[in-house]
Amino acid sequence: MEKKNILTYEGLQKLEAELQDLKVVKRKEVAQKIKEAREQGDLSENAEYDAAKDEQRDIEARIEEIEKILKNAEVVVEDEVDLEKISIGCCVKIYDCEFDEELEYKIVGSTEANSLQGKISNESPVGKALIGAKVGDSIHIETQAGILEYKVLGIERSN
């Protein structure tokens, strides 16, 4: 059984838009590059042809990957997220006890995780530990770097 890919509505829309762009725009662009490279003659030493074929392979692989994600997608309806406890689709404010700073994260499925955008996976050590916690709870997370201690300050719907 394949695992469900948990997505927020925003994540679903991004994947669908990327898929559409790959199928409609990128496929045509790479087909044109291949056609132009073929017209140059000998394909055995044609770097443009090889590059275009590599790009085509990458595009088709990404299309297949997105289609597989979408086939097994479970969309979290963020308006229905229970704000009593932390769950996928909500934003959390936590206090990092060691570094004396407030952090804000959005809890998302692993497909959407992006630490640079403050989106952490429900499958990551921090995400796993936060799921189910309530405001006021202290969380201790064992990591390779040692034990992290956070205090949950707030749970909100994402904007």
Side-chain angles (χ1 to χ4, degrees), residues 120-159:
I120 60 171
S121 166
N122 64 314
E123 296 174 17
S124 70
V126 174
K128 266 185 196 167
L130 289 172
I131 294 287
K134 296 181 166 109
V135 173
D137 286 358
S138 285
I139 311 293
H140 296 83
I141 306 159
E142 218 172 297
T143 68
Q144 292 171 329
I147 294 178
L148 304 176
E149 186 181 348
Y150 296 120
K151 186 171 176 81
V152 180
L153 302 176
I155 305 169
E156 322 176 331
R157 294 194 199 295
S158 58
N159 323 5

PDB file of all heavy atoms in Angstrom, residues 120-159:
ATOM      1  N   ILE A 120       7.526  22.911   7.902  1.00  0.00           N
ATOM      2  CA  ILE A 120       8.169  21.681   8.346  1.00  0.00           C
ATOM      3  C   ILE A 120       7.227  20.497   8.207  1.00  0.00           C
ATOM      4  O   ILE A 120       6.020  20.621   8.370  1.00  0.00           O
ATOM      5  CB  ILE A 120       8.744  21.775   9.776  1.00  0.00           C
ATOM      6  CG1 ILE A 120       7.656  22.077  10.799  1.00  0.00           C
ATOM      7  CG2 ILE A 120       9.847  22.814   9.843  1.00  0.00           C
ATOM      8  CD1 ILE A 120       8.149  21.958  12.231  1.00  0.00           C
ATOM      9  N   SER A 121       7.816  19.377   7.888  1.00  0.00           N
ATOM     10  CA  SER A 121       7.062  18.150   7.645  1.00  0.00           C
ATOM     11  C   SER A 121       6.547  17.553   8.939  1.00  0.00           C
ATOM     12  O   SER A 121       7.231  17.574   9.966  1.00  0.00           O
ATOM     13  CB  SER A 121       7.969  17.143   6.938  1.00  0.00           C
ATOM     14  OG  SER A 121       7.396  15.857   6.982  1.00  0.00           O
ATOM     15  N   ASN A 122       5.364  16.976   8.845  1.00  0.00           N
ATOM     16  CA  ASN A 122       4.801  16.247   9.977  1.00  0.00           C
ATOM     17  C   ASN A 122       5.619  14.986  10.269  1.00  0.00           C
ATOM     18  O   ASN A 122       5.480  14.385  11.319  1.00  0.00           O
ATOM     19  CB  ASN A 122       3.346  15.868   9.694  1.00  0.00           C
ATOM     20  CG  ASN A 122       3.216  14.914   8.520  1.00  0.00           C
ATOM     21  OD1 ASN A 122       3.816  15.106   7.464  1.00  0.00           O
ATOM     22  ND2 ASN A 122       2.426  13.884   8.688  1.00  0.00           N
ATOM     23  N   GLU A 123       6.502  14.607   9.337  1.00  0.00           N
ATOM     24  CA  GLU A 123       7.324  13.409   9.510  1.00  0.00           C
ATOM     25  C   GLU A 123       8.720  13.724  10.053  1.00  0.00           C
ATOM     26  O   GLU A 123       9.472  12.832  10.389  1.00  0.00           O
ATOM     27  CB  GLU A 123       7.442  12.654   8.181  1.00  0.00           C
ATOM     28  CG  GLU A 123       6.097  12.133   7.682  1.00  0.00           C
ATOM     29  CD  GLU A 123       6.178  11.500   6.298  1.00  0.00           C
ATOM     30  OE1 GLU A 123       7.295  11.172   5.847  1.00  0.00           O
ATOM     31  OE2 GLU A 123       5.122  11.353   5.670  1.00  0.00           O
ATOM     32  N   SER A 124       9.071  15.030  10.104  1.00  0.00           N
ATOM     33  CA  SER A 124      10.380  15.417  10.636  1.00  0.00           C
ATOM     34  C   SER A 124      10.364  15.241  12.158  1.00  0.00           C
ATOM     35  O   SER A 124       9.298  15.196  12.765  1.00  0.00           O
ATOM     36  CB  SER A 124      10.671  16.883  10.291  1.00  0.00           C
ATOM     37  OG  SER A 124       9.817  17.736  11.051  1.00  0.00           O
ATOM     38  N   PRO A 125      11.536  15.140  12.787  1.00  0.00           N
ATOM     39  CA  PRO A 125      11.550  14.982  14.250  1.00  0.00           C
ATOM     40  C   PRO A 125      10.776  16.088  14.984  1.00  0.00           C
ATOM     41  O   PRO A 125       9.998  15.811  15.886  1.00  0.00           O
ATOM     42  CB  PRO A 125      13.041  15.025  14.598  1.00  0.00           C
ATOM     43  CG  PRO A 125      13.725  14.543  13.357  1.00  0.00           C
ATOM     44  CD  PRO A 125      12.884  15.059  12.212  1.00  0.00           C
ATOM     45  N   VAL A 126      10.984  17.337  14.570  1.00  0.00           N
ATOM     46  CA  VAL A 126      10.280  18.449  15.217  1.00  0.00           C
ATOM     47  C   VAL A 126       8.785  18.378  14.916  1.00  0.00           C
ATOM     48  O   VAL A 126       7.952  18.511  15.811  1.00  0.00           O
ATOM     49  CB  VAL A 126      10.869  19.819  14.781  1.00  0.00           C
ATOM     50  CG1 VAL A 126      10.034  20.969  15.331  1.00  0.00           C
ATOM     51  CG2 VAL A 126      12.316  19.949  15.236  1.00  0.00           C
ATOM     52  N   GLY A 127       8.450  18.145  13.654  1.00  0.00           N
ATOM     53  CA  GLY A 127       7.043  18.048  13.265  1.00  0.00           C
ATOM     54  C   GLY A 127       6.316  16.938  14.006  1.00  0.00           C
ATOM     55  O   GLY A 127       5.215  17.144  14.529  1.00  0.00           O
ATOM     56  N   LYS A 128       6.944  15.769  14.069  1.00  0.00           N
ATOM     57  CA  LYS A 128       6.348  14.626  14.792  1.00  0.00           C
ATOM     58  C   LYS A 128       6.080  14.970  16.250  1.00  0.00           C
ATOM     59  O   LYS A 128       5.041  14.637  16.804  1.00  0.00           O
ATOM     60  CB  LYS A 128       7.304  13.425  14.763  1.00  0.00           C
ATOM     61  CG  LYS A 128       7.070  12.458  13.659  1.00  0.00           C
ATOM     62  CD  LYS A 128       8.005  11.258  13.845  1.00  0.00           C
ATOM     63  CE  LYS A 128       8.084  10.448  12.587  1.00  0.00           C
ATOM     64  NZ  LYS A 128       9.163   9.491  12.584  1.00  0.00           N
ATOM     65  N   ALA A 129       7.058  15.629  16.873  1.00  0.00           N
ATOM     66  CA  ALA A 129       6.934  15.958  18.293  1.00  0.00           C
ATOM     67  C   ALA A 129       5.848  17.009  18.537  1.00  0.00           C
ATOM     68  O   ALA A 129       5.183  16.996  19.567  1.00  0.00           O
ATOM     69  CB  ALA A 129       8.273  16.455  18.837  1.00  0.00           C
ATOM     70  N   LEU A 130       5.675  17.918  17.586  1.00  0.00           N
ATOM     71  CA  LEU A 130       4.693  18.987  17.761  1.00  0.00           C
ATOM     72  C   LEU A 130       3.255  18.522  17.530  1.00  0.00           C
ATOM     73  O   LEU A 130       2.328  19.029  18.155  1.00  0.00           O
ATOM     74  CB  LEU A 130       5.003  20.158  16.819  1.00  0.00           C
ATOM     75  CG  LEU A 130       6.234  20.987  17.173  1.00  0.00           C
ATOM     76  CD1 LEU A 130       6.539  21.992  16.063  1.00  0.00           C
ATOM     77  CD2 LEU A 130       6.057  21.707  18.501  1.00  0.00           C
ATOM     78  N   ILE A 131       3.060  17.547  16.626  1.00  0.00           N
ATOM     79  CA  ILE A 131       1.705  17.080  16.308  1.00  0.00           C
ATOM     80  C   ILE A 131       1.004  16.624  17.597  1.00  0.00           C
ATOM     81  O   ILE A 131       1.534  15.826  18.350  1.00  0.00           O
ATOM     82  CB  ILE A 131       1.740  15.919  15.280  1.00  0.00           C
ATOM     83  CG1 ILE A 131       2.255  16.396  13.930  1.00  0.00           C
ATOM     84  CG2 ILE A 131       0.364  15.255  15.139  1.00  0.00           C
ATOM     85  CD1 ILE A 131       1.335  17.250  13.112  1.00  0.00           C
ATOM     86  N   GLY A 132      -0.169  17.175  17.816  1.00  0.00           N
ATOM     87  CA  GLY A 132      -0.969  16.795  18.981  1.00  0.00           C
ATOM     88  C   GLY A 132      -0.718  17.645  20.215  1.00  0.00           C
ATOM     89  O   GLY A 132      -1.477  17.577  21.180  1.00  0.00           O
ATOM     90  N   ALA A 133       0.328  18.478  20.191  1.00  0.00           N
ATOM     91  CA  ALA A 133       0.626  19.321  21.352  1.00  0.00           C
ATOM     92  C   ALA A 133      -0.376  20.475  21.431  1.00  0.00           C
ATOM     93  O   ALA A 133      -0.958  20.881  20.433  1.00  0.00           O
ATOM     94  CB  ALA A 133       2.051  19.858  21.260  1.00  0.00           C
ATOM     95  N   LYS A 134      -0.538  20.992  22.631  1.00  0.00           N
ATOM     96  CA  LYS A 134      -1.478  22.097  22.874  1.00  0.00           C
ATOM     97  C   LYS A 134      -0.700  23.320  23.347  1.00  0.00           C
ATOM     98  O   LYS A 134       0.460  23.207  23.776  1.00  0.00           O
ATOM     99  CB  LYS A 134      -2.488  21.689  23.945  1.00  0.00           C
ATOM    100  CG  LYS A 134      -3.362  20.536  23.527  1.00  0.00           C
ATOM    101  CD  LYS A 134      -4.354  20.210  24.632  1.00  0.00           C
ATOM    102  CE  LYS A 134      -5.427  19.312  24.091  1.00  0.00           C
ATOM    103  NZ  LYS A 134      -5.469  17.981  24.486  1.00  0.00           N
ATOM    104  N   VAL A 135      -1.354  24.475  23.301  1.00  0.00           N
ATOM    105  CA  VAL A 135      -0.729  25.706  23.783  1.00  0.00           C
ATOM    106  C   VAL A 135      -0.347  25.512  25.248  1.00  0.00           C
ATOM    107  O   VAL A 135      -1.126  24.997  26.044  1.00  0.00           O
ATOM    108  CB  VAL A 135      -1.688  26.913  23.624  1.00  0.00           C
ATOM    109  CG1 VAL A 135      -1.107  28.159  24.268  1.00  0.00           C
ATOM    110  CG2 VAL A 135      -1.975  27.168  22.149  1.00  0.00           C
ATOM    111  N   GLY A 136       0.889  25.895  25.568  1.00  0.00           N
ATOM    112  CA  GLY A 136       1.382  25.754  26.933  1.00  0.00           C
ATOM    113  C   GLY A 136       2.220  24.502  27.141  1.00  0.00           C
ATOM    114  O   GLY A 136       2.989  24.411  28.096  1.00  0.00           O
ATOM    115  N   ASP A 137       2.104  23.528  26.238  1.00  0.00           N
ATOM    116  CA  ASP A 137       2.883  22.292  26.364  1.00  0.00           C
ATOM    117  C   ASP A 137       4.373  22.560  26.140  1.00  0.00           C
ATOM    118  O   ASP A 137       4.739  23.398  25.316  1.00  0.00           O
ATOM    119  CB  ASP A 137       2.438  21.238  25.327  1.00  0.00           C
ATOM    120  CG  ASP A 137       1.107  20.594  25.673  1.00  0.00           C
ATOM    121  OD1 ASP A 137       0.533  20.921  26.729  1.00  0.00           O
ATOM    122  OD2 ASP A 137       0.644  19.756  24.870  1.00  0.00           O
ATOM    123  N   SER A 138       5.197  21.819  26.855  1.00  0.00           N
ATOM    124  CA  SER A 138       6.639  21.829  26.602  1.00  0.00           C
ATOM    125  C   SER A 138       6.980  20.553  25.857  1.00  0.00           C
ATOM    126  O   SER A 138       6.516  19.474  26.221  1.00  0.00           O
ATOM    127  CB  SER A 138       7.422  21.879  27.908  1.00  0.00           C
ATOM    128  OG  SER A 138       7.350  23.170  28.452  1.00  0.00           O
ATOM    129  N   ILE A 139       7.768  20.692  24.815  1.00  0.00           N
ATOM    130  CA  ILE A 139       8.125  19.565  23.959  1.00  0.00           C
ATOM    131  C   ILE A 139       9.631  19.349  24.053  1.00  0.00           C
ATOM    132  O   ILE A 139      10.401  20.296  23.943  1.00  0.00           O
ATOM    133  CB  ILE A 139       7.773  19.857  22.475  1.00  0.00           C
ATOM    134  CG1 ILE A 139       6.352  20.390  22.311  1.00  0.00           C
ATOM    135  CG2 ILE A 139       8.020  18.656  21.598  1.00  0.00           C
ATOM    136  CD1 ILE A 139       5.268  19.427  22.631  1.00  0.00           C
ATOM    137  N   HIS A 140      10.033  18.105  24.222  1.00  0.00           N
ATOM    138  CA  HIS A 140      11.454  17.745  24.222  1.00  0.00           C
ATOM    139  C   HIS A 140      11.688  16.813  23.040  1.00  0.00           C
ATOM    140  O   HIS A 140      11.014  15.799  22.913  1.00  0.00           O
ATOM    141  CB  HIS A 140      11.850  17.053  25.538  1.00  0.00           C
ATOM    142  CG  HIS A 140      11.698  17.955  26.715  1.00  0.00           C
ATOM    143  ND1 HIS A 140      10.499  18.151  27.347  1.00  0.00           N
ATOM    144  CD2 HIS A 140      12.606  18.735  27.357  1.00  0.00           C
ATOM    145  CE1 HIS A 140      10.663  19.004  28.344  1.00  0.00           C
ATOM    146  NE2 HIS A 140      11.938  19.381  28.372  1.00  0.00           N
ATOM    147  N   ILE A 141      12.644  17.200  22.194  1.00  0.00           N
ATOM    148  CA  ILE A 141      12.907  16.440  20.975  1.00  0.00           C
ATOM    149  C   ILE A 141      14.357  15.999  20.971  1.00  0.00           C
ATOM    150  O   ILE A 141      15.265  16.827  21.084  1.00  0.00           O
ATOM    151  CB  ILE A 141      12.624  17.302  19.724  1.00  0.00           C
ATOM    152  CG1 ILE A 141      11.212  17.883  19.788  1.00  0.00           C
ATOM    153  CG2 ILE A 141      12.819  16.489  18.451  1.00  0.00           C
ATOM    154  CD1 ILE A 141      11.012  19.089  18.921  1.00  0.00           C
ATOM    155  N   GLU A 142      14.556  14.696  20.827  1.00  0.00           N
ATOM    156  CA  GLU A 142      15.906  14.166  20.779  1.00  0.00           C
ATOM    157  C   GLU A 142      16.401  14.232  19.334  1.00  0.00           C
ATOM    158  O   GLU A 142      15.777  13.684  18.433  1.00  0.00           O
ATOM    159  CB  GLU A 142      15.903  12.714  21.267  1.00  0.00           C
ATOM    160  CG  GLU A 142      17.119  12.390  22.084  1.00  0.00           C
ATOM    161  CD  GLU A 142      17.033  11.028  22.727  1.00  0.00           C
ATOM    162  OE1 GLU A 142      16.132  10.823  23.571  1.00  0.00           O
ATOM    163  OE2 GLU A 142      17.858  10.188  22.362  1.00  0.00           O
ATOM    164  N   THR A 143      17.502  14.936  19.119  1.00  0.00           N
ATOM    165  CA  THR A 143      18.085  15.029  17.785  1.00  0.00           C
ATOM    166  C   THR A 143      19.558  14.644  17.867  1.00  0.00           C
ATOM    167  O   THR A 143      20.092  14.453  18.960  1.00  0.00           O
ATOM    168  CB  THR A 143      17.991  16.464  17.225  1.00  0.00           C
ATOM    169  OG1 THR A 143      18.849  17.314  17.998  1.00  0.00           O
ATOM    170  CG2 THR A 143      16.569  16.992  17.238  1.00  0.00           C
ATOM    171  N   GLN A 144      20.210  14.600  16.719  1.00  0.00           N
ATOM    172  CA  GLN A 144      21.645  14.287  16.696  1.00  0.00           C
ATOM    173  C   GLN A 144      22.443  15.366  17.426  1.00  0.00           C
ATOM    174  O   GLN A 144      23.489  15.110  17.993  1.00  0.00           O
ATOM    175  CB  GLN A 144      22.135  14.172  15.255  1.00  0.00           C
ATOM    176  CG  GLN A 144      21.550  12.966  14.543  1.00  0.00           C
ATOM    177  CD  GLN A 144      21.862  12.966  13.060  1.00  0.00           C
ATOM    178  OE1 GLN A 144      21.983  14.011  12.441  1.00  0.00           O
ATOM    179  NE2 GLN A 144      21.963  11.780  12.494  1.00  0.00           N
ATOM    180  N   ALA A 145      21.908  16.591  17.406  1.00  0.00           N
ATOM    181  CA  ALA A 145      22.609  17.714  18.037  1.00  0.00           C
ATOM    182  C   ALA A 145      22.337  17.791  19.539  1.00  0.00           C
ATOM    183  O   ALA A 145      22.866  18.655  20.219  1.00  0.00           O
ATOM    184  CB  ALA A 145      22.183  19.010  17.364  1.00  0.00           C
ATOM    185  N   GLY A 146      21.488  16.920  20.042  1.00  0.00           N
ATOM    186  CA  GLY A 146      21.144  16.954  21.459  1.00  0.00           C
ATOM    187  C   GLY A 146      19.639  17.076  21.631  1.00  0.00           C
ATOM    188  O   GLY A 146      18.882  16.907  20.683  1.00  0.00           O
ATOM    189  N   ILE A 147      19.223  17.413  22.838  1.00  0.00           N
ATOM    190  CA  ILE A 147      17.787  17.524  23.108  1.00  0.00           C
ATOM    191  C   ILE A 147      17.347  18.970  22.925  1.00  0.00           C
ATOM    192  O   ILE A 147      17.938  19.887  23.503  1.00  0.00           O
ATOM    193  CB  ILE A 147      17.455  17.020  24.527  1.00  0.00           C
ATOM    194  CG1 ILE A 147      17.731  15.510  24.588  1.00  0.00           C
ATOM    195  CG2 ILE A 147      16.007  17.322  24.886  1.00  0.00           C
ATOM    196  CD1 ILE A 147      17.494  14.876  25.925  1.00  0.00           C
ATOM    197  N   LEU A 148      16.320  19.157  22.100  1.00  0.00           N
ATOM    198  CA  LEU A 148      15.752  20.485  21.880  1.00  0.00           C
ATOM    199  C   LEU A 148      14.543  20.629  22.790  1.00  0.00           C
ATOM    200  O   LEU A 148      13.795  19.677  22.989  1.00  0.00           O
ATOM    201  CB  LEU A 148      15.297  20.645  20.426  1.00  0.00           C
ATOM    202  CG  LEU A 148      16.331  20.395  19.332  1.00  0.00           C
ATOM    203  CD1 LEU A 148      15.682  20.500  17.965  1.00  0.00           C
ATOM    204  CD2 LEU A 148      17.480  21.389  19.445  1.00  0.00           C
ATOM    205  N   GLU A 149      14.363  21.830  23.327  1.00  0.00           N
ATOM    206  CA  GLU A 149      13.192  22.070  24.164  1.00  0.00           C
ATOM    207  C   GLU A 149      12.426  23.269  23.619  1.00  0.00           C
ATOM    208  O   GLU A 149      12.985  24.348  23.439  1.00  0.00           O
ATOM    209  CB  GLU A 149      13.604  22.328  25.609  1.00  0.00           C
ATOM    210  CG  GLU A 149      12.402  22.445  26.534  1.00  0.00           C
ATOM    211  CD  GLU A 149      12.774  22.723  27.976  1.00  0.00           C
ATOM    212  OE1 GLU A 149      13.965  22.601  28.332  1.00  0.00           O
ATOM    213  OE2 GLU A 149      11.865  23.073  28.737  1.00  0.00           O
ATOM    214  N   TYR A 150      11.149  23.038  23.348  1.00  0.00           N
ATOM    215  CA  TYR A 150      10.272  24.085  22.838  1.00  0.00           C
ATOM    216  C   TYR A 150       9.041  24.186  23.724  1.00  0.00           C
ATOM    217  O   TYR A 150       8.607  23.207  24.320  1.00  0.00           O
ATOM    218  CB  TYR A 150       9.784  23.763  21.424  1.00  0.00           C
ATOM    219  CG  TYR A 150      10.871  23.707  20.379  1.00  0.00           C
ATOM    220  CD1 TYR A 150      11.095  22.547  19.651  1.00  0.00           C
ATOM    221  CD2 TYR A 150      11.659  24.815  20.099  1.00  0.00           C
ATOM    222  CE1 TYR A 150      12.081  22.488  18.676  1.00  0.00           C
ATOM    223  CE2 TYR A 150      12.646  24.770  19.125  1.00  0.00           C
ATOM    224  CZ  TYR A 150      12.855  23.602  18.415  1.00  0.00           C
ATOM    225  OH  TYR A 150      13.813  23.547  17.458  1.00  0.00           O
ATOM    226  N   LYS A 151       8.478  25.377  23.771  1.00  0.00           N
ATOM    227  CA  LYS A 151       7.207  25.583  24.463  1.00  0.00           C
ATOM    228  C   LYS A 151       6.229  26.108  23.416  1.00  0.00           C
ATOM    229  O   LYS A 151       6.552  27.008  22.653  1.00  0.00           O
ATOM    230  CB  LYS A 151       7.370  26.600  25.598  1.00  0.00           C
ATOM    231  CG  LYS A 151       6.123  26.760  26.444  1.00  0.00           C
ATOM    232  CD  LYS A 151       6.439  27.613  27.662  1.00  0.00           C
ATOM    233  CE  LYS A 151       5.215  27.881  28.488  1.00  0.00           C
ATOM    234  NZ  LYS A 151       4.830  26.811  29.374  1.00  0.00           N
ATOM    235  N   VAL A 152       5.044  25.514  23.357  1.00  0.00           N
ATOM    236  CA  VAL A 152       4.043  25.920  22.364  1.00  0.00           C
ATOM    237  C   VAL A 152       3.369  27.208  22.854  1.00  0.00           C
ATOM    238  O   VAL A 152       2.781  27.242  23.933  1.00  0.00           O
ATOM    239  CB  VAL A 152       2.981  24.811  22.142  1.00  0.00           C
ATOM    240  CG1 VAL A 152       1.958  25.250  21.124  1.00  0.00           C
ATOM    241  CG2 VAL A 152       3.651  23.509  21.717  1.00  0.00           C
ATOM    242  N   LEU A 153       3.478  28.269  22.048  1.00  0.00           N
ATOM    243  CA  LEU A 153       2.914  29.570  22.409  1.00  0.00           C
ATOM    244  C   LEU A 153       1.552  29.812  21.751  1.00  0.00           C
ATOM    245  O   LEU A 153       0.711  30.490  22.323  1.00  0.00           O
ATOM    246  CB  LEU A 153       3.871  30.702  22.012  1.00  0.00           C
ATOM    247  CG  LEU A 153       5.269  30.660  22.619  1.00  0.00           C
ATOM    248  CD1 LEU A 153       6.118  31.783  22.051  1.00  0.00           C
ATOM    249  CD2 LEU A 153       5.205  30.742  24.139  1.00  0.00           C
ATOM    250  N   GLY A 154       1.396  29.309  20.525  1.00  0.00           N
ATOM    251  CA  GLY A 154       0.136  29.570  19.830  1.00  0.00           C
ATOM    252  C   GLY A 154      -0.070  28.656  18.650  1.00  0.00           C
ATOM    253  O   GLY A 154       0.883  28.137  18.071  1.00  0.00           O
ATOM    254  N   ILE A 155      -1.347  28.457  18.317  1.00  0.00           N
ATOM    255  CA  ILE A 155      -1.738  27.637  17.157  1.00  0.00           C
ATOM    256  C   ILE A 155      -2.742  28.475  16.371  1.00  0.00           C
ATOM    257  O   ILE A 155      -3.713  28.978  16.931  1.00  0.00           O
ATOM    258  CB  ILE A 155      -2.402  26.324  17.602  1.00  0.00           C
ATOM    259  CG1 ILE A 155      -1.498  25.529  18.559  1.00  0.00           C
ATOM    260  CG2 ILE A 155      -2.779  25.482  16.389  1.00  0.00           C
ATOM    261  CD1 ILE A 155      -2.182  24.352  19.235  1.00  0.00           C
ATOM    262  N   GLU A 156      -2.481  28.647  15.063  1.00  0.00           N
ATOM    263  CA  GLU A 156      -3.379  29.458  14.239  1.00  0.00           C
ATOM    264  C   GLU A 156      -3.622  28.769  12.904  1.00  0.00           C
ATOM    265  O   GLU A 156      -2.872  27.901  12.496  1.00  0.00           O
ATOM    266  CB  GLU A 156      -2.767  30.829  13.934  1.00  0.00           C
ATOM    267  CG  GLU A 156      -1.997  31.457  15.028  1.00  0.00           C
ATOM    268  CD  GLU A 156      -1.331  32.769  14.630  1.00  0.00           C
ATOM    269  OE1 GLU A 156      -0.983  32.970  13.456  1.00  0.00           O
ATOM    270  OE2 GLU A 156      -1.151  33.587  15.543  1.00  0.00           O
ATOM    271  N   ARG A 157      -4.642  29.246  12.230  1.00  0.00           N
ATOM    272  CA  ARG A 157      -4.867  28.812  10.851  1.00  0.00           C
ATOM    273  C   ARG A 157      -3.827  29.510   9.994  1.00  0.00           C
ATOM    274  O   ARG A 157      -3.410  30.619  10.289  1.00  0.00           O
ATOM    275  CB  ARG A 157      -6.254  29.221  10.353  1.00  0.00           C
ATOM    276  CG  ARG A 157      -7.354  28.532  11.084  1.00  0.00           C
ATOM    277  CD  ARG A 157      -8.683  28.694  10.365  1.00  0.00           C
ATOM    278  NE  ARG A 157      -9.798  28.422  11.251  1.00  0.00           N
ATOM    279  CZ  ARG A 157     -10.082  27.260  11.800  1.00  0.00           C
ATOM    280  NH1 ARG A 157      -9.308  26.242  11.589  1.00  0.00           N
ATOM    281  NH2 ARG A 157     -11.118  27.107  12.594  1.00  0.00           N
ATOM    282  N   SER A 158      -3.412  28.855   8.926  1.00  0.00           N
ATOM    283  CA  SER A 158      -2.440  29.512   8.048  1.00  0.00           C
ATOM    284  C   SER A 158      -3.183  30.512   7.169  1.00  0.00           C
ATOM    285  O   SER A 158      -4.366  30.373   6.918  1.00  0.00           O
ATOM    286  CB  SER A 158      -1.709  28.483   7.206  1.00  0.00           C
ATOM    287  OG  SER A 158      -2.624  27.755   6.449  1.00  0.00           O
ATOM    288  N   ASN A 159      -2.464  31.522   6.738  1.00  0.00           N
ATOM    289  CA  ASN A 159      -3.105  32.577   5.924  1.00  0.00           C
ATOM    290  C   ASN A 159      -3.072  32.192   4.476  1.00  0.00           C
ATOM    291  O   ASN A 159      -2.150  31.831   3.915  1.00  0.00           O
ATOM    292  CB  ASN A 159      -2.379  33.907   6.085  1.00  0.00           C
ATOM    293  CG  ASN A 159      -1.884  34.142   7.492  1.00  0.00           C
ATOM    294  OD1 ASN A 159      -1.983  33.295   8.364  1.00  0.00           O
ATOM    295  ND2 ASN A 159      -1.359  35.295   7.721  1.00  0.00           N
TER     296      ASN A 159
END
